C-alpha cells in the first residue's frame, strides 16, 4: 500500500507517465487506486508525433501494469518520510 | 473496437493541414505495441482475467455482441440507469455475510430474472424495473417460504449467452481486491460440485445446452420478441424450470463463493431456491399487473405488421439488445458491493501503518498542492501546527522524528548560528575576566610594520595520525579477533539501527517508559574498539555508519533516546576515531595534490554541518568540565590535531570543545586541579597545532569566503583558541595568521561601496574578522585595525 | 573474513538487501534494454521504487553509446525490474 499512499499525495500534481510502449503522457494526476491505475486530466502526449491517437483526448485512465515510469516534481516528494515509510512497510511485511 | 467510443477509422481532429494525409488510417494496433507481451508477466493477470494470458486476445468484446454488430447503426441511446448506489445501499442488508450471501445467491438472480422478462416483454420502464427490485428486496426480507412447485412459472427463456458463457468467469474481476486465496483455481471441478449439489426438488433433467454458451441464442431472443404476443405462452414450464438452477451453478462459480465449503453451498443453494421461488411469484404478479400496459405496446404490431412497423420493431429490438448487452452485467448491489470493496481497500482501520506516507505527508506539507513546496517547508511547523490537531498520527511522528523541524535549510543556519553564539558568549565571558595588560595589546599586532609583505604560504606536510599509523602497520601483524565489516554489513547494521529506532519511537507513543536496550545494542558502540588509523573495514561499526548520510539524518532522533552516559560514550568513541571518519579522513585539502576536496566529500561535510555539528554542540552542553578536557585529551592523543584542524568538521569539533570549556571556566566554579589539567590539555593541543595554524585556511580562502556565517568557522576557531591561551599563545597565533588578517583587510578595502550588497558583504567580512580580533582587544574597520575602545 | 551476525537478526531476506540501499545510489536493470541509476528513496515488496537524481540508460543495438535521460524524481514500476545492484565506488 506504500505507493498507493504515495501517489495519493501526488493527486492534483502534474506528472509524466511513461508507458511500456514508450508513450509519454503528461497530465494532472486525478486519482489512483491500489493497483496504481492512474487517471490523468489535461493530458498531452509528449511524443505525439509517434502516437497521434491521443491528440484529441483530454483525460484518460491508465492501467497500472502498463506503466514503466512516473516522473514527478521532486519538491512534491518528502524523501525522508518516504524512506521511513518504506522501512515501515518492510517491517510490516517481515512481521507477517 | 474503439475503446473511447469514437470511430477509429475516421481521421483524428488534429489532422487535415495536408489534404493528402486525410486518407491515412492510423493503425491502432500500434497503440498496443509492447503492451501485450509485457502483460504476460503481470502478476495480477490471473486474477484479472481468470484465465491464462495467452488465451486473451486484444480485441475484447465485452458484450459478446459481434453477431449483432452490423445492426448497430443507429445513434447510440443512453444506457438505462439503474437504482442509485444510495438506494441500493439503503435497501441492502447491514450484515456483510448476509450481504454476500444474497448478493451472489439471490439478489443477483432477480437481475437475471429481470433480464429475462425484459427480453420477453422488450421494454420495462425504469420505474417498473425499480418497482420489481424493490419488491424483490422486500420479498427477501420477509423470507417467506414458497414451495418449489412454483418453479415452472411461465415467462422464462434460456439465459442470454453472456450470462451463461462469457460473463461469469471474467465478470467479477478479482482485480478489485479479492484476496488471492479466494480465487477459483479449478472452475470445472467446482462446476461439477455445484451440479452435484443440485437439490432433489429439481425434477427435470438439466439440458446441457443451457449451461453452454449458445451462438443461436441471440437469434432465439429476437424470435421471442416477434412472437411475444403472449409472453406466458411462449416458453413451456418444462424448459424453464431448471433454468434458475443453471444460473446458480454459474453464479456460485464466483470467486467469492468458490472457496466456500460444500455444506455452505448447499445451504446457500436451498436458500437461493426458496428466494427464487418467491421472486418468480412476484414476477408473475407484476406481469399481471403490467399486462395491460404491455398489450398496449406489443399486441398491435404482432396482429398486423406493416413493413415500417416491422422496421421500427427491429430497430427497437436493436436498441433493446444494445441496452441489454451490458445492462444486466452488474446489478445495483453488485455495483454497491464493488464500491464498498473499493472503499474498504482505501479506508483502513490502521492508517498509521497502511497509509502512513499520505497521512503524515498531509500534515507536514499542508498546502503543497499548487504551491511550490519549498516555499512552505520552512514554515511547516508553524502552519502545520493547526492541522496537526486533527491528526495525532502525524503529530506523533513529528514529535519523535524531529522531522524537518524548521525546514531543512534553515536548520543548517541555526546550527552554525548557535556555534557562533557560543563562541561570542565565550568571548564576552572572557572579557569580563582581568584584562590583558596594555603591553599585550601592543604586542599583539606589533610586528605589522615589518612583515606586511605577503609571503608565499609555507608548504608544510601535514599527515594524519591515521596515515602515519597505516605506514607503520604495513609491517605489524593484524590484531586477533578483529572483525572486518563489508559495506553491506555496515548498511545492514545501519538499517537495523533505524528499525530499532522506529520501534522505540512507536513504543514511546504509547508508553512513557521505553526500553532502549535493543536500540543501544544495535548501535554496536562497544562492539569493536578501534582508533584512528585502523584499517577501514576494521573500524568500529558505529563509526563506519557515520560515513553514511542516512545515519547522520537519524542522529538527532537517535540521541533523544540515549542517556547522558551513552552519549558520552559515543562522543568518546568518535573523538578517538575522528580520522576514521570519511569526513575528516578525506576532508582535508592537504591530502589532494590540487588542494581540492572532491564534491562527494564536500556534500558529506555539508551533511555533517547540518546534523552532527549541532548534535555534538547540544551534547557537550551536558558534559562536565573534566569530561570535556578528557575528550580533548583523547582527540589530541589519537589524532593529529594539526591535520584535524585542516578539515572543516574537525575544526568545528575543536571549536565546540574549546568554547564550551571556556564558558564553563567563565562561570568560575572550576577546581584548581581541573583547571591545571585543562591547561596541560590545551598546551598539548597547542603544541600540535603550532607552526601549522595558518594551514587551517584552505587555499583560495579569500575566494571562498563570502563573509557568510558559513565561512566564518575559521575565525571562530581562532577566537576560541586565543581565548584559552596565554599571551604567548596569542602572539604565536597572530604571527601565524597575520597574512590572512591582512588579506581580509585588503579585500574589505577593495570592495567598493556602490551597492548595498557590497556594503553588506564588507560588513560581514569585518564582523567575522573582528570576532577573532576582539579577543585581543582589537577591532577592524574598513581602513585599519585599532585598539578596541572600552 | 567473518560476517556480521547479530543475535536478534533474523535470516536475511532478498528484500532486506534493497532496504540496506535506502538513501544510497543503486543501479536497476530493466526490461527493454534499460538501466536506471539513482538514489533509492522508497521501495515495496513488488520492487516498485522511487529514485531521485536518476539517470536512465537506454541501450540500442545500433549505437555503441546508450541514450541517457535524466529525471529528478521518478517512480519505477516493479514489473519492469530485472535486477537491483548497489553502485560500487
Amino acid at each position: 500500500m506504500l505507493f498507493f499512499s504515495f501517489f495519493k499525495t501526488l493527486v492534483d500534481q502534474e506528472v509524466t507517465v511513461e508507458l511500456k510502449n514508450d508513450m509519454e503522457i503528461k497530465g494532472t494526476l486525478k486519482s489512483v487506486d491500489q493497483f496504481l491505475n492512474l487517471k490523468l486530466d489535461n493530458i498531452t502526449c509528449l511524443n505525439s508525433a509517434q502516437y497521434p491517437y491521443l491528440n484529441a483526448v483530454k483525460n484518460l485512465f491508465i492501467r497500472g501494469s502498463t506503466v514503466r515510469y512516473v516522473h514527478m516534481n521532486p519538491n512534491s516528494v518528502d524523501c525522508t518520510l518516504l524512506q521511513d515509510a518504506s522501512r515501515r512497510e518492510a517491517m510490516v511485511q517481515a512481521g507477517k | 473496437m474503439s475503446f473511447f467510443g469514437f470511430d477509429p477509422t475516421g481521421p483524428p481532429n488534429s489532422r487535415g493541414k495536408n489534404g493528402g494525409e486525410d486518407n491515412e488510417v492510423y493503425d491502432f494496433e500500434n497503440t498496443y505495441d509492447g503492451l501485450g507481451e509485457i502483460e504476460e508477466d503481470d502478476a495480477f493477470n490471473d486474477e484479472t482475467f481468470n484465465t491464462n494470458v495467452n488465451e486473451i486476445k486484444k480485441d475484447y468484446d465485452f458484450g459478446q455482441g459481434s453477431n449483432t454488430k452490423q445492426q448497430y447503426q443507429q445513434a447510440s441511446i443512453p444506457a438505462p440507469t439503474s437504482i442509485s448506489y444510495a438506494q441500493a445501499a439503503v435497501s441492502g442488508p447491514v450484515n456483510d455475510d448476509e450481504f454476500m450471501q444474497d448478493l451472489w445467491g439471490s439478489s443477483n438472480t432477480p437481475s437475471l430474472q429481470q433480464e429475462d422478462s425484459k427480453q420477453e416483454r422488450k421494454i420495462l420502464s425504469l420505474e417498473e424495473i425499480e418497482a420489481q427490485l424493490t419488491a424483490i428486496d422486500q420479498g427477501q426480507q420477509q423470507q417467506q417460504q414458497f414451495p418449489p412447485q412454483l418453479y415452472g412459472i411461465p415467462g422464462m427463456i434460456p439465459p442470454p449467452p453472456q450470462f451463461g458463457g462469457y460473463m461469469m468467469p471474467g465478470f467479477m474481476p478479482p482485480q478489485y481486491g479479492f484476496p488471492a486465496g479466494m480465487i477459483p483455481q479449478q472452475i470445472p471441478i467446482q462446476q461439477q460440485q455445484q451440479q452435484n449439489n443440485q437439490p432433489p426438488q429439481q425434477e427435470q433433467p438439466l439440458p446441457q445446452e443451457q449451461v453452454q454458451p449458445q451462438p443461436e441464442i441471440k437469434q432465439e431472443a429476437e424470435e421471442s420478441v416477434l412472437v411475444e404476443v403472449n409472453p406466458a405462452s411462449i416458453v413451456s414450464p418444462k424448459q424453464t424450470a431448471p433454468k434458475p438452477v443453471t444460473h446458480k451453478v454459474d453464479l456460485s462459480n464466483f470467486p467469492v463463493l468458490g472457496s466456500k465449503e460444500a455444506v455452505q453451498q448447499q445451504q446457500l443453494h436451498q436458500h437461493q431456491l426458496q428466494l427464487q421461488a418467491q421472486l418468480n411469484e412476484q414476477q408473475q404478479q407484476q406481469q399481471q399487473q403490467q399486462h395491460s400496459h404491455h398489450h398496449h405496446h406489443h399486441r398491435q404490431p404482432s396482429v398486423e405488421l406493416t413493413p415500417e412497423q416491422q422496421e421500427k420493431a427491429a430497430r427497437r429490438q436493436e436498441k433493446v439488445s444494445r441496452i441489454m448487452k451490458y445492462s444486466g452485467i452488474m446489478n445495483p448491489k453488485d455495483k454497491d458491493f464493488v464500491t464498498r470493496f473499493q472503499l474498504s481497500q482505501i479506508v483502513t482501520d490502521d492508517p498509521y501503518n497502511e497509509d502512513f506516507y499520505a497521512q503524515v505527508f498531509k500534515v507536514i506539507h499542508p498546502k503543497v498542492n499548487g504551491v511550490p513546496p519549498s516555499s512552505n517547508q520552512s514554515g511547516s511547523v508553524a502552519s502545520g501546527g493547526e492541522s496537526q490537531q486533527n491528526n495525532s498520527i502525524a503529530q506523533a511522528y513529528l514529535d519523535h522524528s524531529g522531522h524537518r523541524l524548521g525546514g531543512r535549510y534553515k536548520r543548517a543556519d541555526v546550527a552554525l548560528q548557535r556555534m557562533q553564539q557560543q563562541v561570542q558568549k565565550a568571548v564576552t565571558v572572557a572579557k569580563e575576566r582581568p584584562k590583558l595588560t596594555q603591553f599585550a595589546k601592543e604586542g599583539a599586532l606589533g610586528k605589522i610594520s615589518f612583515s606586511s609583505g605577503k609571503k608565499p604560504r609555507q608548504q608544510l606536510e601535514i599527515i594524519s595520525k591515521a596515515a602515519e599509523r597505516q605506514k607503520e602497520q604495513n609491517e605489524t601483524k593484524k590484531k586477533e579477533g578483529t572483525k572486518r565489516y563489508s559495506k553491506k554489513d555496515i548498511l545492514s547494521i545501519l538499517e537495523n539501527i533505524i528499525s530499532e529506532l522506529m520501534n522505540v519511537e512507536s513504543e514511546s507513543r504509547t508508553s512513557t517508559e521505553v526500553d532502549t536496550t535493543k536500540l543501544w545494542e544495535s548501535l554496536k558502540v562497544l562492539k569493536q574498539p578501534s582508533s584512528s588509523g585502523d584499517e577501514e573495514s576494521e573500524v568500529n561499526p558505529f563509526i563506519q555508519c557515520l560515513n553514511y548520510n542516512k545515519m547522520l539524518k537519524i542522529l538527532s532522533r537517535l540521541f533523544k533516546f540515549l542517556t547522558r552516559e551513552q552519549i558520552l560514550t559515543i562522543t568518546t568513541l568518535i573523538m578517538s576515531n575522528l580520522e576514521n571518519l570519511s569526513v575528516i579522513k578525506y576532508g582535508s585539502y592537504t591530502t589532494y595534490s590540487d588542494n581540492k576536496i572532491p564534491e562527494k566529500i564536500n556534500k558529506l561535510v555539508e551533511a555533517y554541518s547540518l546534523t552532527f555539528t549541532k548534535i555534538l554542540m547540544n551534547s557537550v552542553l551536558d558534559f562536565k568540565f573534566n569530561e570535556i578536557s578528557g575528550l580533548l585529551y583523547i582527540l589530541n592523543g589519537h589524532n593529529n590535531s594539526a591535520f584535524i584542524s585542516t578539515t572543516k568538521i574537525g575544526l568545528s569539533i575543536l571549536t565546540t570543545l574549546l568554547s564550551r570549556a571556556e564558558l564553563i571556566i567563565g562561570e568560575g566554579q572550576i577546581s584548581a586541579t581541573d583547571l591545571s589539567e585543562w591547561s596541560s590539555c590545551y598546551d598539548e593541543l597547542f603544541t600540535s597545532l603550532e607552526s601549522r595554524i595558518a594551514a587551517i585556511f584552505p587555499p583560495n580562502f579569500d575566494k571562498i569566503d563570502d563573509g557568510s556565517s558559513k565561512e566564518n568557522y575559521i575565525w571562530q576557531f581562532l577566537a576560541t583558541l586565543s581565548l584559552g591561551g596565554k599571551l604567548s599563545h596569542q602572539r604565536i597565533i597572530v604571527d601565524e595568521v597575520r597574512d590572512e588578517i591582512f588579506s581580509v583587510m585588503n579585500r574589505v578595502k577593495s570592495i567598493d561601496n556602490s551597492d548595498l550588497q557590497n556594503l553588506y558583504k564588507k560588513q560581514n567580512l569585518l564582523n567575522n574578522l573582528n570576532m577573532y580580533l576582539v579577543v585581543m582587544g582589537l577591532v577592524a574597520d574598513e581602513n585599519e585595525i585599532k585598539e578596541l575602545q572600552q | 573474513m567473518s560476517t556480521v551476525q547479530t543475535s536478534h537478526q533474523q535470516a536475511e531476506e532478498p528484500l532486506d538487501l534493497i532496504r540496506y540501499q535506502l538513501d544510497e545510489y543503486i543501479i536497476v536493470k530493466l526490461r527493454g534494454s534499460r538501466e536506471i541509476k539513482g538514489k533509492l528513496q522508497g521501495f515495496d515488496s513488488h520492487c516498485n521504487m522511487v529514485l531521485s537524481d536518476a539517470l536512465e540508460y537506454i541501450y540500442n543495438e545500433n549505437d555503441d553509446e546508450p541514450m541517457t535521460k535524466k529525471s529528478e524524481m521518478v517512480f519505477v514500476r516493479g514489473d519492469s525490474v530485472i535486477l537491483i545492484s548497489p553502485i560500487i565506488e
Side-chain angles (χ1 to χ4, degrees):
Chain A
M1 296 296 273
L2 170 63
F3 287 101
F4 175 39
S5 191
F6 173 74
F7 276 110
K8 278 200 269 184
T9 66
L10 295 177
V11 165
D12 290 333
Q13 308 255 348
E14 185 157 272
V15 295
T16 303
V17 180
E18 185 177 325
L19 302 184
K20 284 168 181 159
N21 64 353
D22 295 336
M23 195 185 268
E24 288 179 52
I25 303 159
K26 185 160 136 184
T28 311
L29 182 66
K30 288 321 280 184
S31 74
V32 61
D33 66 13
Q34 69 267 36
F35 306 101
L36 309 185
N37 297 323
L38 307 171
K39 219 165 89 182
L40 300 187
D41 254 11
N42 297 323
I43 61 138
T44 45
C45 188
L46 296 189
N47 38 12
S48 58
Q50 263 175 287
Y51 304 99
Y53 328 103
L54 297 181
N55 279 348
V57 179
K58 277 288 147 252
N59 55 66
L60 47 68
F61 170 93
I62 300 173
R63 191 185 199 263
S65 66
T66 65
V67 170
R68 180 186 289 136
Y69 303 130
V70 181
H71 303 275
M72 65 214 75
N73 183 340
N75 292 330
S76 40
V77 178
D78 188 324
C79 293
T80 312
L81 183 58
L82 183 57
Q83 288 173 23
D84 266 2
S86 300
R87 293 181 179 113
R88 184 170 288 278
E89 179 110 331
M91 275 203 289
V92 172
Q93 294 276 327
K96 274 177 186 168
Chain B
M1 132 172 211
S2 162
F3 186 76
F4 294 101
F6 49 69
D7 179 9
T9 55
N13 295 354
S14 62
R15 294 195 299 139
K17 287 174 214 160
N18 184 340
E21 279 178 16
D22 282 355
N23 291 331
E24 188 190 338
V25 173
Y26 292 121
D27 181 5
F28 270 72
E29 285 303 306
N30 291 347
T31 322
Y32 298 106
D33 280 354
L35 293 183
E37 303 84 47
I38 288 155
E39 285 201 13
E40 286 173 26
D41 297 298
D42 181 354
F44 290 114
N45 271 338
D46 282 349
E47 296 172 32
T48 309
F49 301 112
N50 211 357
T51 178
N52 189 320
V53 188
N54 296 330
E55 292 166 20
I56 297 171
K57 304 286 188 298
K58 287 170 184 173
D59 52 341
Y60 303 109
D61 183 358
F62 296 102
Q64 220 176 343
S66 54
N67 51 351
T68 56
K69 231 175 199 167
Q70 70 268 40
Q71 299 173 359
Y72 301 159
Q73 279 154 6
Q74 319 275 317
S76 68
I77 53 166
T81 47
S82 49
I83 305 182
S84 77
Y85 295 151
Q87 283 172 285
V90 166
S91 62
V94 187
N95 183 301
D96 257 347
D97 289 341
E98 204 185 334
F99 177 78
M100 294 288 275
Q101 204 172 49
D102 69 26
L103 173 66
W104 303 116
S106 54
S107 74
N108 204 26
T109 320
S111 108
L112 298 174
Q113 188 80 29
Q114 164 201 346
E115 201 59 41
D116 295 339
S117 54
K118 264 167 90 188
Q119 267 186 319
E120 297 172 274
R121 292 170 288 152
K122 276 206 282 199
I123 302 167
L124 272 183
S125 74
L126 191 58
E127 291 73 22
E128 287 164 345
I129 295 169
E130 213 169 311
Q132 275 190 10
L133 286 167
T134 318
I136 286 158
D137 279 335
Q138 285 163 355
Q140 284 166 2
Q141 279 151 18
Q142 286 161 9
Q143 297 284 318
Q144 289 163 353
Q145 299 285 326
F146 280 86
Q149 281 81 1
L150 277 175
Y151 262 52
I153 44 148
M156 299 206 166
I157 57 160
Q162 61 262 42
F163 296 116
Y166 177 88
M167 188 192 89
M168 291 315 169
F171 156 58
M172 184 65 212
Q175 192 193 4
Y176 284 106
F178 283 101
M182 297 181 88
I183 293 153
Q185 307 275 322
Q186 294 172 305
I187 289 160
I189 291 176
Q190 283 164 0
Q191 258 171 351
Q192 204 161 1
Q193 278 177 348
Q194 287 303 315
Q195 284 170 0
N196 293 341
N197 287 340
Q198 277 168 17
Q201 292 100 313
Q202 193 201 320
E203 284 150 29
Q204 286 82 5
L206 177 65
Q208 190 58 33
E209 312 88 67
Q210 289 177 347
V211 188
Q212 308 280 323
Q214 298 174 10
E216 310 90 338
I217 269 181
K218 189 77 215 170
Q219 212 184 334
E220 207 179 312
E222 281 171 46
E223 282 168 7
S224 78
V225 170
L226 293 175
V227 225
E228 208 192 289
V229 191
N230 182 359
S233 69
I234 300 168
V235 193
S236 78
K238 264 201 173 182
Q239 219 183 336
T240 55
K243 196 205 45 116
V245 181
T246 311
H247 279 315
K248 279 176 223 136
V249 170
D250 280 331
L251 280 171
S252 44
N253 281 330
F254 278 129
V256 173
L257 293 183
S259 66
K260 292 214 173 177
E261 301 287 325
V263 182
Q264 279 178 301
Q265 284 179 354
Q266 184 85 34
Q267 288 169 346
L268 181 59
H269 207 80
Q270 304 228 351
H271 180 61
Q272 285 168 5
L273 288 174
Q274 289 164 0
L275 289 171
Q276 183 64 50
Q278 309 169 7
L279 296 171
N280 287 347
E281 198 199 42
Q282 282 160 3
Q283 176 95 31
Q284 212 173 14
Q285 286 167 352
Q286 275 166 10
Q287 277 173 8
Q288 283 162 4
Q289 283 163 10
Q290 291 155 1
H291 207 63
S292 59
H293 180 72
H294 289 289
H295 275 248
H296 199 68
H297 283 290
H298 307 300
R299 283 243 181 204
Q300 287 299 352
S302 64
V303 171
E304 191 183 343
L305 286 175
T306 69
E308 281 162 27
Q309 280 172 323
Q310 274 176 340
E311 200 193 332
K312 232 181 180 179
R315 275 190 202 167
R316 191 181 284 274
Q317 164 57 19
E318 272 170 39
K319 280 186 186 178
V320 170
S321 62
R322 286 183 57 148
I323 294 165
M324 289 192 319
K325 197 168 99 171
Y326 302 114
S327 67
I329 287 180
M330 291 172 87
N331 69 14
K333 283 203 174 170
D334 290 341
K335 291 173 188 166
D336 181 49
F337 173 74
V338 171
T339 310
R340 283 169 55 176
F341 209 107
Q342 284 177 314
L343 281 174
S344 75
Q345 294 278 314
I346 294 166
V347 180
T348 160
D349 292 338
D350 189 8
Y352 193 80
N353 278 325
E354 304 262 317
D355 196 21
F356 177 78
Y357 182 83
Q359 295 289 331
V360 179
F361 189 93
K362 266 187 258 166
V363 174
I364 299 176
H365 311 275
K367 288 165 211 138
V368 86
N369 289 349
V371 185
S374 51
S375 66
N376 67 18
Q377 253 179 13
S378 59
S380 67
V381 168
S383 56
E386 294 126 33
S387 55
Q388 275 165 17
Q389 292 166 351
N390 309 331
N391 199 327
S392 55
I393 290 168
Q395 179 65 67
Y397 177 78
L398 287 173
D399 284 349
H400 289 286
S401 64
H403 189 90
R404 293 273 164 85
L405 285 177
R408 211 179 153 168
Y409 301 101
K410 217 175 169 183
R411 195 173 60 192
D413 288 343
V414 170
L416 291 163
Q417 277 164 8
R418 287 192 59 174
M419 172 85 88
Q420 188 170 341
Q421 281 163 8
Q422 181 161 324
V423 173
Q424 273 167 343
K425 204 171 159 195
V427 170
T428 320
V429 169
K431 295 253 89 181
E432 285 160 6
R433 284 185 281 162
K435 292 216 177 72
L436 297 166
T437 60
Q438 184 63 27
F439 170 76
K441 284 179 199 164
E442 278 173 359
L445 283 177
K447 293 170 203 157
I448 294 167
S449 50
F450 59 87
S451 66
S452 53
K454 204 164 176 151
K455 296 181 282 189
R457 182 198 291 268
Q458 282 175 287
Q459 278 304 321
L460 286 169
E461 202 195 4
I462 302 175
I463 299 175
S464 67
K465 201 122 185 170
E468 274 175 40
R469 273 190 61 187
Q470 243 167 16
K471 278 182 197 162
E472 296 162 14
Q473 262 186 0
N474 284 341
E475 294 99 50
T476 58
K477 278 229 164 183
K478 291 235 158 62
K479 285 176 278 178
E480 289 289 316
T482 314
K483 271 181 188 161
R484 298 169 65 101
Y485 295 87
S486 68
K487 185 179 176 185
K488 198 201 96 181
D489 294 333
I490 296 303
L491 285 171
S492 157
I493 290 169
L494 181 38
E495 282 295 333
N496 195 34
I497 294 172
I498 298 176
S499 300
E500 293 297 347
L501 176 62
M502 285 166 74
N503 283 337
V504 168
E505 281 175 350
S506 72
E507 208 181 306
S508 71
R509 270 189 288 277
T510 50
S511 70
T512 46
E513 284 289 303
V514 183
D515 179 17
T516 57
T517 329
K518 275 174 94 180
L519 176 62
W520 174 248
E521 279 168 6
S522 74
L523 295 179
K524 300 188 185 304
V525 173
L526 304 171
K527 189 80 183 173
Q528 177 157 312
S530 68
S531 65
S532 292
D534 285 339
E535 202 188 317
E536 248 175 87
S537 61
E538 293 174 0
V539 168
N540 174 282
F542 181 84
I543 297 294
Q544 290 197 54
C545 284
L546 282 173
N547 293 334
Y548 294 91
N549 224 326
K550 51 179 161 179
M551 183 65 173
L552 299 172
K553 281 187 195 164
I554 60 154
L555 272 183
S556 66
R557 285 161 65 180
L558 183 64
F559 271 48
K560 276 190 191 130
F561 293 101
L562 299 180
T563 63
R564 199 193 80 96
E565 280 65 34
Q566 286 169 336
I567 292 173
L568 183 61
T569 311
I570 289 176
T571 316
T572 312
L573 180 75
I574 293 172
M575 291 308 140
S576 63
N577 279 281
L578 271 185
E579 286 175 10
N580 285 333
L581 296 173
S582 297
V583 76
I584 306 282
K585 192 173 188 175
Y586 306 110
S588 169
Y589 70 92
T590 59
T591 51
Y592 300 96
S593 55
D594 61 353
N595 286 342
K596 274 191 186 138
I597 297 168
E599 193 48 37
K600 201 189 127 202
I601 299 297
N602 274 331
K603 277 187 180 161
L604 195 60
V605 169
E606 183 77 3
Y608 264 75
S609 352
L610 300 182
T611 56
F612 178 88
T613 311
K614 176 185 139 194
I615 291 155
L616 181 72
M617 227 157 43
N618 283 341
S619 309
V620 165
L621 285 179
D622 290 337
F623 295 163
K624 295 175 189 132
F625 185 71
N626 60 347
E627 288 166 348
I628 290 172
S629 64
L631 286 172
L632 192 65
Y633 181 79
I634 290 167
L635 186 155
N636 199 41
H638 286 79
N639 306 280
N640 180 350
S641 301
F643 179 81
I644 298 280
S645 70
T646 59
T647 67
K648 194 170 174 179
I649 297 304
L651 202 62
S652 69
I653 292 170
L654 285 170
T655 309
T656 306
L657 292 176
L658 289 171
S659 59
R660 180 64 195 154
E662 285 307 317
L663 274 174
I664 298 177
I665 294 171
E667 287 164 10
Q669 310 280 320
I670 307 302
S671 72
T673 4
D674 281 352
L675 263 181
S676 74
E677 213 169 86
W678 169 252
S679 71
S680 78
C681 217
Y682 179 93
D683 285 345
E684 260 180 56
L685 176 69
F686 199 87
T687 313
S688 323
L689 294 176
E690 196 176 356
S691 82
R692 287 152 192 197
I693 298 176
I696 65 175
F697 290 93
N700 307 321
F701 181 70
D702 52 338
K703 293 196 180 70
I704 304 165
D705 184 16
D706 52 0
S708 70
S709 58
K710 234 173 116 187
E711 300 301 337
N712 72 0
Y713 67 102
I714 290 178
W715 299 114
Q716 286 177 15
F717 171 74
L718 289 175
T720 17
L721 190 67
S722 302
L723 267 186
K726 302 185 186 74
L727 182 60
S728 54
H729 295 130
Q730 291 181 347
R731 278 193 167 174
I732 294 168
I733 297 167
V734 168
D735 197 33
E736 289 197 34
V737 302
R738 194 190 309 111
D739 288 346
E740 300 295 340
I741 296 171
F742 284 107
S743 160
V744 173
M745 289 306 288
N746 289 334
R747 282 181 69 201
V748 167
K749 278 173 195 163
S750 69
I751 293 174
D752 74 276
N753 296 341
S754 58
D755 76 60
L756 208 61
Q757 196 95 44
N758 280 351
L759 276 175
Y760 190 66
K761 184 177 176 182
K762 186 185 263 189
Q763 197 53 51
N764 278 341
L765 285 170
L766 283 172
N767 285 347
N768 289 348
L769 176 61
N770 278 331
M771 194 191 303
Y772 163 60
L773 291 180
V774 161
V775 178
M776 278 158 305
L778 298 167
V779 66
D781 63 22
E782 68 179 285
N783 301 311
E784 55 179 342
I785 297 172
K786 55 191 175 190
E787 206 176 298
L788 189 62
Q789 299 300 312
Q790 296 300 312
Chain C
M1 189 196 279
S2 61
T3 50
V4 185
Q5 278 296 332
T6 55
S7 52
H8 55 287
Q9 222 170 350
Q10 289 163 354
E12 208 164 59
E13 286 178 34
L15 274 176
D16 287 333
L17 297 178
I18 305 179
R19 184 166 55 98
Y20 299 160
Q21 295 305 318
L22 274 172
D23 211 23
E24 295 285 310
Y25 280 87
I26 55 169
I27 188 146
V28 182
K29 198 165 145 53
L30 298 160
R31 291 167 164 276
S33 316
R34 285 155 197 271
E35 285 173 6
I36 191 163
K37 204 162 83 175
K39 200 188 225 183
L40 182 64
Q41 301 290 358
F43 73 97
D44 67 8
S45 53
H46 303 102
C47 290
N48 291 325
M49 281 174 280
V50 168
L51 301 179
S52 63
D53 188 23
L55 189 58
E56 184 192 17
Y57 302 85
I58 305 165
Y59 294 91
N60 195 315
E61 275 180 30
N62 309 320
D63 303 324
D64 292 337
E65 283 300 303
M67 194 168 95
T68 57
K69 278 188 190 170
K70 275 190 172 181
S71 178
E72 283 189 276
M73 193 66 73
V74 61
F75 165 80
V76 181
R77 191 168 162 101
D79 55 8
S80 295
V81 173
I82 294 170
L83 66 84
I84 301 169
S85 165
I87 291 178
I88 298 150
E89 288 147 77

